[in-house]
């Protein structure tokens, strides 16, 4: 029995990766030694949202104009004094394409302004929120409670240890089922 | 006439261990540094787990590794004077311990296994008319990159699929890194549920004593002719250019390793690189395409025996 498995061993082991490796993983070299090298370097791949050179000029202009108009509309809304304290409402109204910037601003005037918090209050609120989130995550994960006021009851510790193992086992089980 | 093996000194070992690309399990690299602490001047090491080991602790690790090495079975077949043990028509070649380019006399004492010795064993087994199949018993965390690809190429090009003899790898219990490179060249890879394979990547270790020497009041001056001369030495911290060069070296070794595995296991090279040098056990390894099956040693051995029997039948029929 003879096969092609290890044919051209040295050449294939020393192949370089192309930018976009093909699915079969073997023909990874963009140039082969027995092929003539191209005079010009390969062109860079097109960026997303970038129009190709073949796109008609009028389409390119329309695209650029539409892009600018959308940006101008958003900037006009957020620069208006009616938006201050009503940013969340403004973001929601901007999503309605049928409303112009002026209409959005006029609509915003009917909404109550959010309570203005001082910088210190905002900082404290953010920290409190972060602590609550962390404690919630720790509780969910069954992490050890190492605080000075921790629950020292042995059964609690055992329950938490079991919870971690249960979680690990569940993860393994779900992985096996998926496979 | 074959020249006798030359003893390899500790400077030679240091040159292979430090500042060289290694395809090895990182924990084994720690054991090696522990074993050679006195000879290489290693005062203490910081392990992967962040624990600093002093001399006595390193010695304890070394002794544990040494006991394992000495407990290995002898591979020499004294009765038939072959460089490997024979079981019926099958030659048994052991790939165990840390793999190095030139093991020399360190084989028995340190758990080293040299590519030079393995090459001789495979050469003899492929040429031996008594040998119909080769059983490669693997338990190794890997080792040096130097010399690895030559051995892999030799095995690969003489496998049954390439017109040679059937070569079956039995993972008992680890075929990581360089050891897996050898395994993936075999016709089949079998192991048990706990068999560990993979770690398809490359690592390099650089030790700098610059800070320690400075603390002890020792000034080392490197006088170099040629800006790049003696870069990466242990008396100076790594400069950016040398670090980049080391990184290129390990990246290159990793890619060649991935190409080898892709070729041997018929798995896309992107998938191999995507493992990020992770190791896999049992069925996970089979799912990744890194092992053929999880089975018992007896079953895997039977499959090789059946293959040898088939070859014998074909030979008889062709006469």
């Amino acid at each position: 029995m003879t096969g092609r498995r290890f044919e051209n061993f040295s050449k294939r082991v020393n192949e370089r990766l192309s930018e976009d490796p093909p699915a079969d993983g073997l023909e990874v070299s963009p140039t082969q030694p027995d092929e003539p090298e191209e005079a010009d370097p390969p062109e860079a791949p097109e960026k997303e949202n970038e129009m190709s050179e073949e796109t008609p000029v009028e389409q390119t202009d329309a695209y650029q104009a539409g892009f600018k108009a959308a940006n101008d509309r958003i900037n006009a809304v957020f620069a208006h004094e009616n938006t201050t304290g009503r940013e969340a409402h403004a973001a929601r109204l901007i999503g309605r394409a049928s409303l112009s910037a002026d209409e959005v601003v006029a609509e915003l005037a009917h909404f109550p302004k959010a309570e203005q918090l001082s910088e210190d209050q905002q900082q404290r609120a953010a920290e409190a929120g972060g602590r609550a989130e962390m404690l919630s995550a720790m509780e969910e994960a069954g992490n050890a409670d190492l605080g000075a006021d921790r629950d020292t009851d042995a059964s609690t510790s055992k329950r938490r240890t079991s919870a971690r193992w249960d979680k690990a086992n569940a993860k393994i089980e779900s992985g096996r089922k998926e496979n | 006439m074959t020249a006798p093996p030359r003893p390899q000194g500790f400077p030679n070992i240091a040159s292979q261990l430090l500042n060289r690309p290694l395809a090895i399990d990182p924990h084994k690299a720690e054991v090696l540094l522990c074993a050679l602490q006195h000879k290489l001047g290693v005062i203490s090491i910081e392990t992967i787990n962040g624990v600093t080991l002093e001399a006595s602790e390193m010695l304890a690790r070394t002794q544990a590794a040494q006991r394992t090495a000495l407990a290995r079975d002898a591979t020499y077949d004294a009765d038939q004077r072959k460089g490997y043990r024979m079981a019926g028509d099958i030659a048994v070649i052991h790939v165990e311990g840390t793999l190095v380019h030139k093991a020399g006399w360190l084989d028995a004492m340190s758990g080293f296994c040299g590519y030079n010795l393995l090459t001789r064993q495979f050469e003899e087994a492929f040429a031996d008319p008594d040998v119909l199949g080769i059983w490669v018993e693997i338990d190794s965390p890997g080792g040096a990159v130097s010399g690895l690809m030559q051995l892999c190429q030799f095995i690969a090009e003489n496998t049954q699929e390439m017109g040679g003899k059937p070569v079956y790898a039995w993972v008992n219990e680890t075929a990581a890194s360089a050891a897996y490179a050898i395994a993936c060249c075999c016709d089949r890879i079998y192991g048990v549920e706990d068999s560990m394979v993979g770690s398809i990547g490359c690592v390099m270790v650089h030790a700098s004593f610059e800070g320690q020497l400075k603390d002890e009041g020792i000034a080392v001056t490197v006088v170099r002719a040629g800006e790049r001369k003696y870069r990466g030495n242990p008396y100076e911290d790594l400069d950016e250019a040398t670090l980049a060069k080391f990184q290129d070296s390990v990246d290159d070794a990793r890619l060649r390793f991935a190409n080898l595995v892709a070729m041997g296991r018929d798995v896309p090279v992107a998938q191999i690189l995507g493992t990020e040098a992770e190791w896999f056990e049992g069925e996970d390894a089979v799912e990744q395409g890194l092992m053929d099956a999880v089975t018992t040693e007896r079953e895997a051995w039977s499959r090789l025996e059946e293959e040898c029997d088939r070859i014998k039948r074909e030979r008889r029929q062709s006469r």
Side-chain angles (χ1 to χ4, degrees):
Chain A
M1 181 168 63
T2 57
R4 298 181 61 246
R5 189 173 163 216
F6 292 112
E7 265 185 3
N8 301 319
F9 184 98
S10 297
K11 182 182 158 192
R12 286 165 64 189
V13 162
N14 290 301
E15 275 174 337
R16 315 308 304 170
L17 272 185
S18 64
E19 298 229 338
D20 186 16
D24 66 7
L26 294 178
E27 300 297 324
V28 292
S29 176
T31 56
Q32 302 295 333
D34 52 351
E35 289 176 358
E37 288 190 8
E38 291 178 13
D40 297 321
E43 290 180 5
E46 289 178 12
K47 290 178 185 172
E48 202 176 352
N49 292 330
E50 193 171 291
M51 293 204 163
S52 68
E53 289 176 2
E54 290 75 27
T55 309
V57 175
E58 55 271 23
Q59 280 189 34
T60 311
D61 290 346
Y63 173 83
Q64 299 291 356
F67 200 76
K68 184 175 183 307
N71 274 337
D72 289 347
R73 174 172 172 268
I74 293 167
N75 290 336
V77 169
F78 278 95
H80 200 279
E81 59 181 15
N82 282 2
T83 308
T84 309
R86 301 183 180 106
E87 285 82 359
H89 294 301
R92 207 159 40 241
L93 290 173
I94 282 173
R96 296 186 193 170
S98 59
L99 296 178
S100 68
D102 290 339
E103 287 169 332
V104 170
V105 169
E107 191 69 22
L108 280 173
H110 302 297
F111 288 96
K113 284 193 176 187
E115 186 185 351
Q116 293 294 299
L117 297 176
S118 67
E119 197 171 324
D120 184 49
Q121 286 173 319
Q122 288 181 34
Q123 180 69 25
R124 287 184 185 189
E127 286 173 357
R131 277 196 297 274
E133 191 180 349
M134 186 67 184
L135 283 171
S136 169
M138 286 175 70
E139 185 64 32
E140 188 184 341
N143 280 352
D145 182 0
L146 301 175
D149 56 346
R150 68 185 184 276
D151 184 355
T152 53
D153 183 12
S155 64
T156 307
S157 173
K158 191 176 177 183
R159 178 169 49 80
R160 285 193 164 145
T161 305
S162 299
R164 285 197 293 279
W165 279 112
D166 289 346
K167 193 175 178 186
N169 286 329
K171 193 176 176 186
I172 293 165
E173 283 300 318
S174 66
R176 283 184 176 160
K177 282 175 186 171
E178 283 174 13
N179 295 329
Chain B
M1 192 175 84
T2 307
R6 289 182 293 113
Q8 305 295 329
F10 286 104
N12 178 289
I13 296 164
S15 72
Q16 292 196 50
L17 178 64
L18 301 173
N19 306 340
R20 299 287 300 153
L22 302 175
I24 191 169
D25 182 277
H27 292 284
K28 184 65 180 181
E30 286 175 0
V31 172
L32 287 178
L33 283 171
C34 291
L36 299 168
Q37 53 166 321
H38 294 302
K39 301 299 179 185
L40 302 186
V42 179
I43 307 300
S44 68
I45 67 166
E46 199 149 302
T47 69
I48 297 162
N49 303 330
V51 178
T52 302
L53 298 181
E54 301 302 336
S56 60
E57 293 158 318
M58 283 197 276
L59 186 62
R61 278 201 179 196
T62 308
Q63 286 168 342
Q66 208 170 50
R67 279 196 296 275
T68 308
L70 291 172
R72 287 186 305 160
D73 291 336
T75 55
Y76 183 72
D77 189 327
D79 295 336
Q80 302 186 59
R81 298 192 178 279
K82 294 180 189 292
Y84 36 78
R85 191 162 52 84
M86 287 292 290
D89 304 315
I90 298 170
V92 179
I93 294 179
H94 292 259
V95 178
E96 293 181 344
T98 305
L99 307 176
V100 292
H101 190 17
K102 302 164 189 169
W105 51 271
L106 277 168
D107 258 23
M109 288 300 290
S110 310
F112 279 82
C113 183
Y115 297 130
N116 52 348
L117 172 67
L118 289 171
T119 302
R120 280 207 301 275
Q121 289 179 312
F122 275 101
E123 276 175 349
E124 195 180 328
F126 282 126
D128 189 340
D130 294 338
V131 174
L132 294 186
I134 299 172
W135 176 267
V136 187
E137 178 110 5
I138 304 179
D139 185 11
S140 165
V145 170
S146 297
L148 172 64
M149 283 300 164
Q150 290 88 334
L151 172 63
C152 287
Q153 182 168 6
F154 181 71
I155 297 170
E157 291 178 345
N158 287 281
T159 54
Q160 186 179 33
E161 192 159 341
M162 296 299 287
K165 296 179 179 180
V167 184
Y168 284 22
W170 173 247
V171 183
N172 180 25
E173 58 190 24
T174 302
S177 221
Y180 186 74
I182 294 172
C184 80
C185 294
C186 300
D187 288 296
R188 297 279 185 278
I189 305 177
Y190 296 117
V192 292
E193 189 61 60
D194 296 324
S195 295
M196 196 171 88
V197 300
S199 193
I200 304 160
C202 191
V203 62
M204 189 183 286
V205 180
H206 175 267
S208 168
F209 298 99
E210 184 175 325
Q212 185 190 354
L213 291 170
K214 194 175 178 182
D215 290 346
E216 293 175 6
I218 301 169
V220 177
T221 305
V222 178
V223 182
R224 53 171 56 89
E227 206 283 321
R228 300 297 308 150
K229 191 68 181 173
Y230 201 38
R231 289 292 177 190
N233 69 71
Y235 308 114
E236 296 175 303
D237 288 339
L238 271 184
D239 58 292
E240 282 186 16
T242 308
L243 178 61
K245 186 156 189 158
F246 282 175
Q247 186 64 54
D248 279 351
S249 181
V250 291
D251 286 346
D252 181 64
R254 178 196 180 205
L255 180 57
R256 282 185 288 133
F257 189 179
N259 282 339
L260 172 70
V261 177
M263 190 177 4
R265 301 299 303 168
D266 195 21
V267 174
V269 72
Q271 182 182 324
I272 300 297
L273 292 170
T275 64
E276 291 294 343
E278 180 64 280
W279 71 87
F280 300 92
E281 293 179 7
E283 292 294 350
D284 286 344
V286 175
E287 190 182 323
Q288 291 285 333
L290 302 181
M291 277 206 314
D292 287 288
V294 170
T295 183
T296 61
E297 185 174 13
R298 180 178 290 273
E299 171 62 22
W301 180 270
S302 296
R303 290 183 192 184
L304 181 55
E305 277 187 324
E306 285 167 15
E307 194 57 34
C308 293
D309 290 344
R310 192 188 62 77
I311 292 168
K312 276 193 283 192
R313 280 198 302 276
E314 281 185 359
R315 284 184 183 176
R316 277 198 299 271
Q317 287 166 2
S318 64
R319 279 178 194 156

